[in-house]
Structure formats: C-alpha cells, structure tokens
Amino acid sequence: MKKITIGAVLFSLMFTGLNAQSLKSPDGKFEMNFQLKSGVPYYNLKYNGGIVVEDSKLGLRLLKDGDIQFASEIENKNNEGKNLDYGFEKTAEKRDSKNETWQPVLGEKKNYINNYNELAVTLNQKENDRSIIVKFRLFNDGLGFRYEFPQQKNLNYFIIKEEDSEIDLPTDMKAWWLAGDYDTEEYVTQTSKLSEIPAKWPTSYEGNASQNLVKNGVQMPLMMKKEGTNPLYVNIAEAAVIDYPAANLELDATNFKFKTHLTPDAQGAKGYIQTPSVTPWRTIIVSPKAEEVLDSKMLFNLNEPTKYKDTSWIHPTKYMGVWWEMIIGKSQWAYSTADNVHIGKTDFSKLTPNGKHAANNTKVKEYIDFAAANGFQGLLIEGWNIGWEDWFGHSKEFVFDFITPYPDFDIKMLNDYAHSKGIKLIMHHETSGSASNYERWADKAFQLMNKYGYDAVKTGYVGNIIPRGEHHYSQWTINHYRRIIEKAAEYKIMVNSHESVRPSGESRTYPNWIAAEAARGTEFEAFAGNNPDHQTILPFTRWMGGPMDYTPGIFQTKLDYYFPGDNRFVKTTLAKQLALYVVMYQPLQMAADLPENYAKHMDAFQFIKDVAADWDDTKILSAEPGDYIHTARKAKGTDNWFVGGITDENARDFTVDFSFLDKGRKYEATIYEDGKNADYINNPQSYHIYKKTIDSKTKLPVHLVRSGGYAISVKPVK
Amino acid sequence: MKKITIGAVLFSLMFTGLNAQSLKSPDGKFEMNFQLKSGVPYYNLKYNGGIVVEDSKLGLRLLKDGDIQFASEIENKNNEGKNLDYGFEKTAEKRDSKNETWQPVLGEKKNYINNYNELAVTLNQKENDRSIIVKFRLFNDGLGFRYEFPQQKNLNYFIIKEEDSEIDLPTDMKAWWLAGDYDTEEYVTQTSKLSEIPAKWPTSYEGNASQNLVKNGVQMPLMMKKEGTNPLYVNIAEAAVIDYPAANLELDATNFKFKTHLTPDAQGAKGYIQTPSVTPWRTIIVSPKAEEVLDSKMLFNLNEPTKYKDTSWIHPTKYMGVWWEMIIGKSQWAYSTADNVHIGKTDFSKLTPNGKHAANNTKVKEYIDFAAANGFQGLLIEGWNIGWEDWFGHSKEFVFDFITPYPDFDIKMLNDYAHSKGIKLIMHHETSGSASNYERWADKAFQLMNKYGYDAVKTGYVGNIIPRGEHHYSQWTINHYRRIIEKAAEYKIMVNSHESVRPSGESRTYPNWIAAEAARGTEFEAFAGNNPDHQTILPFTRWMGGPMDYTPGIFQTKLDYYFPGDNRFVKTTLAKQLALYVVMYQPLQMAADLPENYAKHMDAFQFIKDVAADWDDTKILSAEPGDYIHTARKAKGTDNWFVGGITDENARDFTVDFSFLDKGRKYEATIYEDGKNADYINNPQSYHIYKKTIDSKTKLPVHLVRSGGYAISVKPVK
C-alpha cells in the first residue's frame, strides 16, 4: 500500500476528467482507463470494480532520434527533447472488438478463443510533430497494451534507450520470481512478497554458462497472488516479442511498481526501430482463480496468425534421445581425447577416441530399436557432429559446422535404419552461443537434414552470444531466433530451441517453433538440482507463452545407481514423472531416461507410451502455484483423456472429479499413483498401478506423497 | 634523441652479453639483435652499423587466459600474472633463410624476390609453463617480426588485451601520418616531425561516416624520413593481418617510440586466439632511398603463397562506371523519392521515381556503348539494387538484399547487351557496414553474379559496422572480409573492397582480392577535397600492402561545369590525372569521368585507352614522399613501357632517363604533358601531346606545373 499524498489525490480527481478514455472487457468485469496527465500517458486497470493496476505511466526514452550519421557514439546527450514520454495530446481514438475462434496447429485445445475490446489512442507530440499510438486490448482474462509507431515525416528511425512502461500495483503481493537477467532463465524460482525481493535478490541466483544479471530485476512471465480473503492472481508477461529485445521487470519494492527494462545490445542500445513498427504487448492476466491463469491463451491471441500456407508438416512427436547419459556424465558428446580442435583443419579420424562417445553407430541403433519397439516417432542424437572437444567456454566463433559427423556416426546408415523402423532421427544444432556462425551454416545444415530425412532440430545456445556483446534476449538475437525458425520453415523443419529466449506466444505465427527450453529443465536435476515445487510453478511462468522441452520421464532418479556415492537425484517420485506428461504441455515430448531403466518398469512406462502429445481439450482441475497442479486433457482426435497431478514438497490428497467426461459413457481408467511408502528421497520408484471403470460421476481419491504425483489414462469402454 | 640515463647505459652493456642473438640481412647491411632483459624480450635494428631502432620491448597483455566460463565480463582482474610479456627464458633458437622468386598473379613486376635470413627464438615462461616464439625475418629492405603461439598444454585459448610491440626510434623524424582510427583511413595525410604530432593531432581529422579515433595515434603504413646529410627513410607497417585486428600505432612523442594499439571488439577485447596461431608481421622497411621503399615487396613476401589451385580467372581490368555522376551529385543511387523503405516488403515498382536514378537501362546502355568503343573490359554500375532510399546513417541491418534490381534496371538485358559488345558489367555490393547482413546474402548474391556473367564485385562498407560495436579494423570484421574474399573465390569472382581495412599484402594469399580503397580516393575531390601532395604520399603509405582503387581519370576537374557557382574541384591538372595510371599501381583501373568529358578530349583519353593495368617490370625513377614520384612500368607480356610523373603543389622540372629501355632499340614515345599555361586551379585542362623517337640513351626533360604531371607511352618501333 502506498502512502497517499495530496498530489496523488489530486491526480485521482483529474483522472475522472473529460480527457480520460475507458475500455471494458467483453464480459464487463475489467475496466481500463487511459488518461493524459500534463501530456504524459497513464492507464489503470480495474477488476470487478477493484483497482488491480493503479495509474501507471507509459512512454519511451530514446538514445537517438533519426539519423546516426557521423557519430562514433550512439548516444546523443542532447537528445532528451526527443523522448517519447512527454508533451502528448490525444488526436484520435479508435475502438474495435473481436470475438473469434482459431485453431492452433498444435495446442492444448482444438480451439482458442480470442475475444477482446480494443482502444487505440493516437498521441501527438506537438514539440516534435510526431505521433504514436497506444493500443489496449481488454480480454475477459486481462489486459494487453503496446506502442505503435506509424511511419511519418518525423518518425522514421530511432534507437530506444528504455521503454518505461509501468505496472503500478496497489498492494504487496506474493510472487514467484526469477532473478532478472539478459541471458538466462535457468535460475531457481524464488517465492516471496514483492517487498521482500530486494533482500532476497542477492542470493537468488547461481552461476550460469551465460549470465548478465539485472540487479533487483525479475523475469517474465511473473506470477503473483494477492493473498487474503479475496485472493487475486496476477500474471505479468509480454507477447509477440518480434524485432525488439525481451524485457525484464525493474521493481520499486516500496511502491510495488514495475517498469520494463529492455535488454541492451553490445553498445547499450535497446532496440533499433524503423517505422512502421510496433512493440511487444505488455500483458496483465488477472483472475481470482489460479486455474484460469493457467488456462489463459492471451499471449497467443496477441500474436499474429501464421502466414505459413502449409502447416501439414508440423506434427507432435514423442521421442527418446541419446542425451541423458551425457547429462549425467556417463557418456560424452565429444569423440576424442583432444581438447583443442579446429573445424575444417583437424582430421577427427586421426584423433584418439575417448571411448565414451555416445553418438556411435552401435549405441544409436540400440536406441532406435528400443524407441521403435515402444511406438516413439523420434530419436534425438546429440554429439553426432565434430567440434565437441572444445565447444564450450572459449567463445569460439567457428565452433561447429553442423554438417560433418564424427567418424563413428554413419549418418546415412543410421537414418536409413531408423526410417526402416518408423523412427525419424532428430537433428541437434548446438551453436555454443555462436549465432553468427550458425547463420553462416544454416542453409547447408538444413539441406543436410532434408537429404537424410530429418524433420526436426533441437538448437542450443549454451554460452555467451556471438556477435560478442549481444545477449540471449537482445534485439539482434531475438531476430536471429526468428531468422532460424523462418529458414527452417523453408525446409519444412520443426525447431526446439534451447537456451533461447522464453517464448511469448510466437508459435501462433511461427508454428514450427514447436518448443523451447528457456528455464531449468530436467537436466538441472543432474546439475544444481530442481526443488520439489519447481514443476508446480513453471506452468504459471515459463509455460504461459509456449511449450517447454522439459524432458520428463526419469525413472532412475538416483544417480548413485550409475556412480556409487553420487548424491545427485531427481527430486520427484517416479509417478510424478509420469504426471508431468499431462501437467506440462509439450507437443515434442521426450522420454528422457535410458532404455535400460524403462525396461525395468515396463508397466509404468506404458503410460508414457500411451499418453498423447497434442490435445483437443484441456481442463485445469485444480492448481495453486508452488503447491500443486491437477490437469485433464483430451487427446487429439480421440475420446481418450489423460489426467495428471503433482505436488510440491508436501504430501496431499486430491479427489479427481471426472465430470468432464461424456455423460453416460463408461471409461476404463488406468491409475499410476505413488506407492504407499513412496518418497521422493527415500523410495522414489515405488508406484501402484490399477484399473477402474469410471464415468462422469466418478470422484476418484488420490494420494500424492511429498513431491509425488499420479497419472491416469482414460479410454472409453468399447 | 633520448636522454641517456645510467640505467640505459647499463642495459646497453648487458645487451652485448651471451644472452643476445644476432641476425644479419642477406646483403649484410642490416643487423637485428634480440635479447632477454630480466625475462623481457627486446630487439633492436641497425643499418650499415647505425641504430635504426633502439632496444624495443616485445610482449602481449591478456584479458583472459584459457576459459571464459561462467563470466559475464571478459576481463579477469586477476589475470596479470598470465600476461605474455615477462618472465621468459630462451629455450630454443632456430635459424633459416630463403632466397626465392615468386610470381604474383597480378603485380608490378613479373617476379618478386623473397630473400631473407630468419631467427626464431622460443621463449618459455616458466611461471605458467608455456612457450611462445618470436620470429624475425631480416630482408635486404628491412625487418619483419611476429609472435607465434604453438598449441600446447597451457596455451590453447586466450584473449588479447593489447599487443605491446615497440618500435623505439633513436631520433625525431619527419612523418607522413594519418590520425589513428579503428574505422577509417579517409583522413588527410599530415606532414610533421614526430615530436609535433601531439600538437597537430587534434586538428588532423574531419568527420567520417564511421570513425573511432585513437587519440594521438597514427595509422600504418607510416612513412618517415630522418632528414639531414645522411637521410634515411623508414616505413612501419604490418603484413598478413589474418584472424587478428588491424593495428594503429601509439606514439610516445618525447621518446620517438611507437607501440602497437590493436583495434578492440564491441567489448574491448583485442583478439580471441586459439592456438596454434600467429600474429601479423610487424614490418620496418629502411632505406636511404625513397625509391627503394616504394619498390619494397616485403609486405607481400611476408604473406603466405596462395592456396588457390586455379587463378586463371583472375585478370586485370580497365573499367568505366556509372559512378562519378552520383559522387558529384548530378545523379542518384536511389530510384525513388521515398525515404523509408523495407527490403522484402516495399514494392519499389509502386514508388515515385525521383528522375535522377543513374542505373537505368537507357543510361547504362550508353555507358556500355562508350566503354566498348574505347576498349574497356568492364563497367561498374552502382545503385542497381533496391534499398538506396535510406541506405545510410540509420544502422539498418537488413539494408540491401544484393539480388533485387530496381524496376528500371533490366539485369538480364543489360548483361546480354554488354556481353554482345565485349564488356562485362561489374557488380556492386554496398553493405552500408551491415556485414552480418551481407554474409547472410553472399551466396545468393554471388549466384546471381554467376548467372548473369559478372566476374568482379566492388564491395562497400560505408558507415558503422553491424554487428554493432565491431569496427572496420576489428578481428571479427577482418575475418568477415576474408570470408567474403574466400566465398567470392568459390564463385570465381574478383573483389574490390571499399571502406574495408587497408591491405597488408594479403593479395598474395587471396589474389582475387584485386584491390581495396581504404584511403581518400578521387571521390574525396568531390567531398572535402584532396591536397595536391596527396597522390605523392599514398604510394608510400596506403599502397605498400596492395593496390588501391583510386579511380583516376577526371578530365572535367571543375564541378562548376555541372553546377554553376560550385567551387569544388579536383586539385590536379588533367595531365596529372593521366600520370596517376602509372604512378599508382592498380590492376582494376578505372576511367572515372563521364563519357561526355572524355569525348571532348579524345587525344588525351588515348593514353587511358593505351595504358596497361598489369606489369612485367617497374622502375621507380625518382621519388620523394609529399613532393614527387616518377615511375616507369613495362606492360605485361609486351615491350611497351609507360612512364608517369606527378608533383605536389610545387612546379618541378624533371629529366626522364630512358636507360631502362632495351639497348640499341628504337621506340616511339607519346608524351602527354601539362600545357605551358596549365594550372591545377586556373587552367587544369591545358595539356600538350607530342611524339618523339627515343632510345635507351634518351634524356627527356619534362616540366610539371604545380599539382601537374605527365604521362608517356613508349612503344618499340617495328
């Protein structure tokens, strides 16, 4: 709560004046008010009559206006009079509304509803004779707004110093937050009051292969909750981050006020703009129910429909991978014992093999056999190409060529073998952050994929970005990701990008961007570890803008199985691993463990074999960030449902209400639940599987042990 | 002269100790001495027993040694103990020598002689258990040295903070210098004593489209003269700048001491090194005769022989261009009146033509007709492709696509038409500094060239480099130029690069890098102007490492011819313009003026039609930097000679001694000299042409008016 000053009271009075514009959501529950105060634009947001966002300032500061000729430094100190944050007059107001249903190529539901009322206010800055538009879209689940820069005589090119869009909350809230950074989201989510963030911030992050922290900043999507008798959930994010840097949020923890903090480039500039242009949308999703936040499709609705004419080649895939054994340290990506290699010069066939190279013909064929026998469509193979000997930590620009296999990887034979068994190999393009190098090789790399029949690639950006000084979230790199996605589309290739920026609904426009990583995935269980509440938070944060390649399915959660005395372990029960396939939407769904571990638990593995990766419908049965999520989904094109539930470090009971099933129809449910004595630390592999005939009236009690879960496969009785 | 201190005396005594290595040039005139003083490497250089370079320190400081993992900043403050500039012991010494003759693909002579004695000293830094090699090559024209970094356990990757190679001169000298910069050499050459440089430096430069000045720094090649009774000319440069930034020189003007100052990248790093690796050569050319400096091929000798198997497609070209009319402002590169266009989105056929677009079908055909009728092989056309409306000054990354012609440029028709007349069109790829964009389009651009029969491209880098923060001389950009040259070679395309770094002999290795600009060319006559001494200096500086596309041949030197009242003018006589074709070696030689201007002076134009662009022999008859140059060259594969002489702002008389001609053979000489009343300001187009039979005994007097010159075409009488 802020101190009320006389000034603030006066402003509030002014706000009701003639100069204000009001916008309501289609259901009438939200109200957004826009007003110029002394030439400065402000907006606020109300939900059911209560203030959700107080009067909050809008505007941008510029480094340069117009040309940057004959300048060796981009900042023009005399440029302040050119900022786009003052001296505005409203010159036009345009209203619009939409209520449409659209079909995502891959999605959680068959139909996404896009229903909003729109207000576009044209603001003229008289001093510089130029205009911008602030566009608001008010949905039944909250607000989106952005700036638009029409092409005009006095507004053609400019460089952003900062976008100062504010979101001023009326009160302290509980927040699930990540330390702000320009390069990585791979931090542990912190849970605290907003007011506690400055104190907690200094210990909220660990080292990362590439990191550039934003002091006291937090990342988006940011999930918050106003606690108390009338709880309200608020999620702040951005949508359609195209040709613009991604943002962190700066927090004024005394006033509970957020401000955008864009990612700079190598010179500190935060966006080179050529009009006509638009910014990303700033989004505020609001609901008294956490489940409705998870159900929001606002970020996708605020992206443009795809321009791809043919999307038939984009499909869900369940896959295995020659991967986890490298992550845990049992095998290696590199082929040889060398530690300094030169692509194009080193003869890898003459190097001494290290004996631990996983991507070899024999092992890959074994994986193909297992994946094919169990109905998978894809097999990811990492470490197939030359360069892994010194791929990381040296800022090598020419680190990989993406086309030359190691001597023990017969690319033609293995693809032919895979295809003969109904499996497609999944390509891997680790860039080591050297995006400029990847762009140089992309055509040849995709041509190689077409030649051998790969139709999906996992890309990776571990380490600092090259061009040096750029960041994983800076405008140049954001454009790089898009260029790769678009080029991949030319070759009909699906992309799963790791260590890239988190998606903000862009898969609506670029549906071959089938997934991204951009948070701590399962791999971190083998690094610094994920907390038991991790998976109950991610769907409220990382997932809001698009699927994450979380790579669940670890059955052998204790790594001392491989390395006696090793105390690393995956902090879930086996049953919770199954539940993740439902709770976490991912059309490119991995079964990440080794075949030998699945072979020991074929009864539990059956759920992974059965579960769908793309859906006609989704019901969030119950959810609370950081505590639990229970989700039911209907498999694409079938009447089969899958239900999953997970809990944090606390054991919980839950009753699954099957009222979402067709009335009067009988279903056979197969329940995979934690064993009676299961425990994520002491007894993670204890599970219990049973079958039960159910219908829409069934209320099924389930018990989740601490960091446990359950998965249910539901099929109509024929 | 420095103050002699007791310490210096002691050092000198030590220098003669057992720890010193001495190296002599093949002719015995030069002596180089290497010594470790308290673990720090020093060298000196003597010529005919006199000190040319005093004991000068060698070494490098590093930003990072080895890995840069988990670091968001590249500089490791605790890294000083890892510098490569102290604590060395000599562990090996290897001597070698070479006396070879090699043939440049294109050159000033048929044979270049590469004759040197070599000393390679291996230095071990015990504290860090690693070794580097300092390699010296002593030629009959001076010294080259470089650092070599063998691959070894403790030296695999490092980042250079600075290379501190010193060149410590014993005395003040006259110097012809350019203000130090990371991005441009397009400054007026200053002439002063070294000691006067700090005072003159602040007024030594003008604005440039891209500039980043190195305070009190000067550029290389740097020409100097020890004046007095025993004059000595010293030229400091670098050779083989490959995968390394180009350097400026920092001057300690009190002690007449230079130190390398490398060009940083966007983060301030001055070279990412992976061993094995070598630095560029630091070169010191020394002679009592200015002519011998001009004759030195040391920079080429220090580059590697070409690895191209086939060089038959590389050829000299005389060309005209749709160019000068845009430079002076009579025509435009852009097609339309638009000032904000988007490649890939804007429909250029719908824009309003500006009526001044030079690269249109009608005009280009006229140029083709004229060039073909006068025996040229090529025609450059600038402004043929979309994007020129807003190409400059906006740091637009996607500024050109290099493949889409303007609506009024029929690329197929014009190439067919040119080919039917024996002309090849020369492609133009202006990047606007957006090197990352050019790399993306290079394959498609070169494929287009192959399709339509272009075999040469003029590239351009006007404006700040993208990736933003990189410089025209930084390691990334140096590598970019080489990537483009190598890619062009794959398509059998010759490259003439403008606003790129000055060449340092690399055309030996990459002979399709046929020319570069990298200094103030003729175009500056239409901008801020070139001084009358300009062309008498450039061959001693810019030209030492490779040909410059100077674009001579302006007959209509006064621009008020086009624009009444315009006081811009080319500061030479017409006869001097002819002389430049001989004085300035350039295998891609332009006749830069408009056809209409040549048509008015067909008698003088005959020299340009006759003159060769590639040579079997070259004699520097007489030269003094900043004053005059007289050069004779023998045309490739013929017995024809061409002689040219130019002077600065002073009129001069000279006697051409034809003793280089075959004895006893008669030749017909056609002499193109300044008219009696010619004057570069008041009467530039006055010239006198006459013929004379000559032989090897002929001594021909010529008079050069101020900023005048003469050209002589010499053919054997049959």
Side-chain angles (χ1 to χ4, degrees), chain B residues 97-118:
Chain B
S97 65
K98 184 171 267 184
N99 188 2
E100 65 171 1
T101 297
W102 58 277
Q103 287 73 44
V105 176
L106 303 172
E108 293 182 81
K109 299 182 182 187
K110 192 172 184 176
N111 295 308
Y112 284 8
I113 293 164
N114 185 22
N115 183 18
Y116 61 81
N117 290 328
E118 178 178 294

mmCIF file of all heavy atoms in Angstrom, chain B residues 97-118:
data_model
loop_
_atom_site.group_PDB
_atom_site.id
_atom_site.type_symbol
_atom_site.label_atom_id
_atom_site.label_comp_id
_atom_site.label_asym_id
_atom_site.label_seq_id
_atom_site.Cartn_x
_atom_site.Cartn_y
_atom_site.Cartn_z
ATOM 1 N N SER B 97 66.835 -19.527 -43.777
ATOM 2 C CA SER B 97 66.959 -18.447 -44.751
ATOM 3 C C SER B 97 66.282 -18.862 -46.035
ATOM 4 O O SER B 97 66.040 -20.051 -46.279
ATOM 5 C CB SER B 97 68.436 -18.121 -45.010
ATOM 6 O OG SER B 97 69.061 -19.224 -45.610
ATOM 7 N N LYS B 98 65.947 -17.874 -46.829
ATOM 8 C CA LYS B 98 65.253 -18.161 -48.081
ATOM 9 C C LYS B 98 65.674 -17.150 -49.124
ATOM 10 O O LYS B 98 65.881 -15.982 -48.819
ATOM 11 C CB LYS B 98 63.733 -18.117 -47.861
ATOM 12 C CG LYS B 98 62.929 -18.500 -49.080
ATOM 13 C CD LYS B 98 61.445 -18.660 -48.769
ATOM 14 C CE LYS B 98 61.109 -20.088 -48.431
ATOM 15 N NZ LYS B 98 59.682 -20.324 -48.225
ATOM 16 N N ASN B 99 65.816 -17.619 -50.332
ATOM 17 C CA ASN B 99 66.028 -16.713 -51.459
ATOM 18 C C ASN B 99 65.263 -17.274 -52.639
ATOM 19 O O ASN B 99 65.733 -18.151 -53.347
ATOM 20 C CB ASN B 99 67.512 -16.572 -51.791
ATOM 21 C CG ASN B 99 67.732 -15.481 -52.839
ATOM 22 O OD1 ASN B 99 66.775 -14.821 -53.279
ATOM 23 N ND2 ASN B 99 68.971 -15.297 -53.257
ATOM 24 N N GLU B 100 64.046 -16.805 -52.780
ATOM 25 C CA GLU B 100 63.169 -17.367 -53.803
ATOM 26 C C GLU B 100 62.602 -16.255 -54.676
ATOM 27 O O GLU B 100 62.557 -15.088 -54.281
ATOM 28 C CB GLU B 100 62.002 -18.123 -53.158
ATOM 29 C CG GLU B 100 61.071 -17.214 -52.371
ATOM 30 C CD GLU B 100 59.774 -17.868 -51.897
ATOM 31 O OE1 GLU B 100 59.578 -19.059 -52.148
ATOM 32 O OE2 GLU B 100 58.968 -17.150 -51.288
ATOM 33 N N THR B 101 62.191 -16.636 -55.836
ATOM 34 C CA THR B 101 61.490 -15.721 -56.730
ATOM 35 C C THR B 101 60.099 -16.288 -56.943
ATOM 36 O O THR B 101 59.944 -17.472 -57.196
ATOM 37 C CB THR B 101 62.224 -15.623 -58.069
ATOM 38 O OG1 THR B 101 63.515 -15.079 -57.841
ATOM 39 C CG2 THR B 101 61.466 -14.738 -59.047
ATOM 40 N N TRP B 102 59.101 -15.435 -56.779
ATOM 41 C CA TRP B 102 57.735 -15.920 -56.999
ATOM 42 C C TRP B 102 56.996 -14.952 -57.900
ATOM 43 O O TRP B 102 57.395 -13.785 -58.045
ATOM 44 C CB TRP B 102 57.005 -16.161 -55.687
ATOM 45 C CG TRP B 102 56.872 -14.974 -54.762
ATOM 46 C CD1 TRP B 102 57.789 -14.510 -53.877
ATOM 47 C CD2 TRP B 102 55.740 -14.089 -54.650
ATOM 48 N NE1 TRP B 102 57.321 -13.415 -53.210
ATOM 49 C CE2 TRP B 102 56.057 -13.132 -53.649
ATOM 50 C CE3 TRP B 102 54.480 -14.027 -55.266
ATOM 51 C CZ2 TRP B 102 55.168 -12.122 -53.284
ATOM 52 C CZ3 TRP B 102 53.590 -13.027 -54.896
ATOM 53 C CH2 TRP B 102 53.942 -12.087 -53.909
ATOM 54 N N GLN B 103 55.949 -15.468 -58.527
ATOM 55 C CA GLN B 103 55.206 -14.664 -59.497
ATOM 56 C C GLN B 103 53.847 -14.289 -58.919
ATOM 57 O O GLN B 103 53.028 -15.170 -58.661
ATOM 58 C CB GLN B 103 54.992 -15.440 -60.812
ATOM 59 C CG GLN B 103 56.236 -15.590 -61.649
ATOM 60 C CD GLN B 103 57.244 -16.585 -61.089
ATOM 61 O OE1 GLN B 103 56.851 -17.663 -60.658
ATOM 62 N NE2 GLN B 103 58.513 -16.225 -61.054
ATOM 63 N N PRO B 104 53.626 -13.008 -58.715
ATOM 64 C CA PRO B 104 52.278 -12.620 -58.299
ATOM 65 C C PRO B 104 51.296 -12.859 -59.441
ATOM 66 O O PRO B 104 51.676 -12.762 -60.611
ATOM 67 C CB PRO B 104 52.418 -11.119 -58.007
ATOM 68 C CG PRO B 104 53.562 -10.672 -58.858
ATOM 69 C CD PRO B 104 54.506 -11.841 -58.933
ATOM 70 N N VAL B 105 50.070 -13.196 -59.087
ATOM 71 C CA VAL B 105 49.053 -13.374 -60.138
ATOM 72 C C VAL B 105 48.897 -12.071 -60.912
ATOM 73 O O VAL B 105 48.859 -12.060 -62.136
ATOM 74 C CB VAL B 105 47.714 -13.829 -59.515
ATOM 75 C CG1 VAL B 105 46.629 -13.927 -60.583
ATOM 76 C CG2 VAL B 105 47.886 -15.169 -58.802
ATOM 77 N N LEU B 106 48.797 -10.973 -60.186
ATOM 78 C CA LEU B 106 48.818 -9.639 -60.783
ATOM 79 C C LEU B 106 49.850 -8.841 -59.995
ATOM 80 O O LEU B 106 49.923 -8.983 -58.774
ATOM 81 C CB LEU B 106 47.448 -8.959 -60.655
ATOM 82 C CG LEU B 106 46.255 -9.704 -61.259
ATOM 83 C CD1 LEU B 106 44.948 -9.014 -60.888
ATOM 84 C CD2 LEU B 106 46.375 -9.789 -62.775
ATOM 85 N N GLY B 107 50.628 -8.001 -60.679
ATOM 86 C CA GLY B 107 51.641 -7.320 -59.895
ATOM 87 C C GLY B 107 52.377 -6.241 -60.653
ATOM 88 O O GLY B 107 52.138 -5.997 -61.840
ATOM 89 N N GLU B 108 53.286 -5.617 -59.951
ATOM 90 C CA GLU B 108 54.065 -4.533 -60.533
ATOM 91 C C GLU B 108 55.262 -5.064 -61.313
ATOM 92 O O GLU B 108 55.873 -4.326 -62.083
ATOM 93 C CB GLU B 108 54.551 -3.593 -59.424
ATOM 94 C CG GLU B 108 53.422 -2.852 -58.747
ATOM 95 C CD GLU B 108 53.951 -1.893 -57.693
ATOM 96 O OE1 GLU B 108 54.386 -0.798 -58.058
ATOM 97 O OE2 GLU B 108 53.925 -2.268 -56.499
ATOM 98 N N LYS B 109 55.616 -6.304 -61.001
ATOM 99 C CA LYS B 109 56.710 -6.952 -61.714
ATOM 100 C C LYS B 109 56.309 -8.392 -61.965
ATOM 101 O O LYS B 109 55.444 -8.936 -61.276
ATOM 102 C CB LYS B 109 57.981 -6.935 -60.862
ATOM 103 C CG LYS B 109 58.478 -5.554 -60.504
ATOM 104 C CD LYS B 109 59.765 -5.602 -59.706
ATOM 105 C CE LYS B 109 60.181 -4.178 -59.338
ATOM 106 N NZ LYS B 109 61.496 -4.120 -58.696
ATOM 107 N N LYS B 110 56.982 -8.992 -62.906
ATOM 108 C CA LYS B 110 56.712 -10.396 -63.185
ATOM 109 C C LYS B 110 57.164 -11.254 -62.007
ATOM 110 O O LYS B 110 56.498 -12.207 -61.622
ATOM 111 C CB LYS B 110 57.459 -10.802 -64.455
ATOM 112 C CG LYS B 110 57.049 -12.140 -65.014
ATOM 113 C CD LYS B 110 57.701 -12.366 -66.376
ATOM 114 C CE LYS B 110 57.233 -13.652 -66.996
ATOM 115 N NZ LYS B 110 57.796 -13.811 -68.352
ATOM 116 N N ASN B 111 58.330 -10.905 -61.471
ATOM 117 C CA ASN B 111 58.918 -11.692 -60.394
ATOM 118 C C ASN B 111 59.128 -10.833 -59.150
ATOM 119 O O ASN B 111 59.643 -9.722 -59.237
ATOM 120 C CB ASN B 111 60.274 -12.247 -60.831
ATOM 121 C CG ASN B 111 60.117 -13.233 -61.974
ATOM 122 O OD1 ASN B 111 59.341 -14.171 -61.894
ATOM 123 N ND2 ASN B 111 60.852 -12.980 -63.063
ATOM 124 N N TYR B 112 58.711 -11.381 -58.035
ATOM 125 C CA TYR B 112 59.009 -10.744 -56.756
ATOM 126 C C TYR B 112 60.075 -11.594 -56.065
ATOM 127 O O TYR B 112 59.995 -12.826 -56.054
ATOM 128 C CB TYR B 112 57.754 -10.679 -55.865
ATOM 129 C CG TYR B 112 56.753 -9.609 -56.247
ATOM 130 C CD1 TYR B 112 56.880 -8.856 -57.423
ATOM 131 C CD2 TYR B 112 55.654 -9.352 -55.428
ATOM 132 C CE1 TYR B 112 55.944 -7.881 -57.758
ATOM 133 C CE2 TYR B 112 54.711 -8.377 -55.761
ATOM 134 C CZ TYR B 112 54.868 -7.654 -56.935
ATOM 135 O OH TYR B 112 53.930 -6.696 -57.267
ATOM 136 N N ILE B 113 61.054 -10.931 -55.489
ATOM 137 C CA ILE B 113 62.145 -11.655 -54.831
ATOM 138 C C ILE B 113 61.919 -11.652 -53.329
ATOM 139 O O ILE B 113 61.667 -10.603 -52.723
ATOM 140 C CB ILE B 113 63.502 -11.001 -55.171
ATOM 141 C CG1 ILE B 113 63.788 -11.188 -56.653
ATOM 142 C CG2 ILE B 113 64.628 -11.609 -54.319
ATOM 143 C CD1 ILE B 113 64.876 -10.277 -57.175
ATOM 144 N N ASN B 114 61.969 -12.821 -52.775
ATOM 145 C CA ASN B 114 61.758 -13.018 -51.342
ATOM 146 C C ASN B 114 63.045 -13.585 -50.746
ATOM 147 O O ASN B 114 63.315 -14.779 -50.840
ATOM 148 C CB ASN B 114 60.585 -13.991 -51.139
ATOM 149 C CG ASN B 114 60.216 -14.162 -49.668
ATOM 150 O OD1 ASN B 114 60.519 -13.309 -48.842
ATOM 151 N ND2 ASN B 114 59.556 -15.266 -49.352
ATOM 152 N N ASN B 115 63.843 -12.713 -50.172
ATOM 153 C CA ASN B 115 65.188 -13.096 -49.747
ATOM 154 C C ASN B 115 65.420 -12.611 -48.328
ATOM 155 O O ASN B 115 65.444 -11.409 -48.076
ATOM 156 C CB ASN B 115 66.207 -12.460 -50.719
ATOM 157 C CG ASN B 115 67.636 -12.874 -50.393
ATOM 158 O OD1 ASN B 115 67.862 -13.858 -49.686
ATOM 159 N ND2 ASN B 115 68.585 -12.131 -50.928
ATOM 160 N N TYR B 116 65.544 -13.590 -47.409
ATOM 161 C CA TYR B 116 65.700 -13.177 -46.014
ATOM 162 C C TYR B 116 66.484 -14.219 -45.223
ATOM 163 O O TYR B 116 66.605 -15.373 -45.618
ATOM 164 C CB TYR B 116 64.329 -12.966 -45.353
ATOM 165 C CG TYR B 116 63.455 -14.195 -45.315
ATOM 166 C CD1 TYR B 116 63.632 -15.174 -44.342
ATOM 167 C CD2 TYR B 116 62.436 -14.371 -46.250
ATOM 168 C CE1 TYR B 116 62.825 -16.300 -44.307
ATOM 169 C CE2 TYR B 116 61.627 -15.492 -46.225
ATOM 170 C CZ TYR B 116 61.818 -16.463 -45.256
ATOM 171 O OH TYR B 116 61.044 -17.575 -45.224
ATOM 172 N N ASN B 117 67.001 -13.754 -44.076
ATOM 173 C CA ASN B 117 67.514 -14.656 -43.044
ATOM 174 C C ASN B 117 66.546 -14.609 -41.875
ATOM 175 O O ASN B 117 66.001 -13.547 -41.552
ATOM 176 C CB ASN B 117 68.913 -14.231 -42.590
ATOM 177 C CG ASN B 117 69.937 -14.477 -43.688
ATOM 178 O OD1 ASN B 117 69.800 -15.425 -44.464
ATOM 179 N ND2 ASN B 117 70.943 -13.613 -43.757
ATOM 180 N N GLU B 118 66.350 -15.757 -41.264
ATOM 181 C CA GLU B 118 65.317 -15.859 -40.233
ATOM 182 C C GLU B 118 65.894 -16.338 -38.908
ATOM 183 O O GLU B 118 66.778 -17.195 -38.882
ATOM 184 C CB GLU B 118 64.233 -16.833 -40.709
ATOM 185 C CG GLU B 118 63.117 -17.074 -39.717
ATOM 186 C CD GLU B 118 62.051 -18.008 -40.276
ATOM 187 O OE1 GLU B 118 61.372 -17.623 -41.250
ATOM 188 O OE2 GLU B 118 61.931 -19.127 -39.762
#
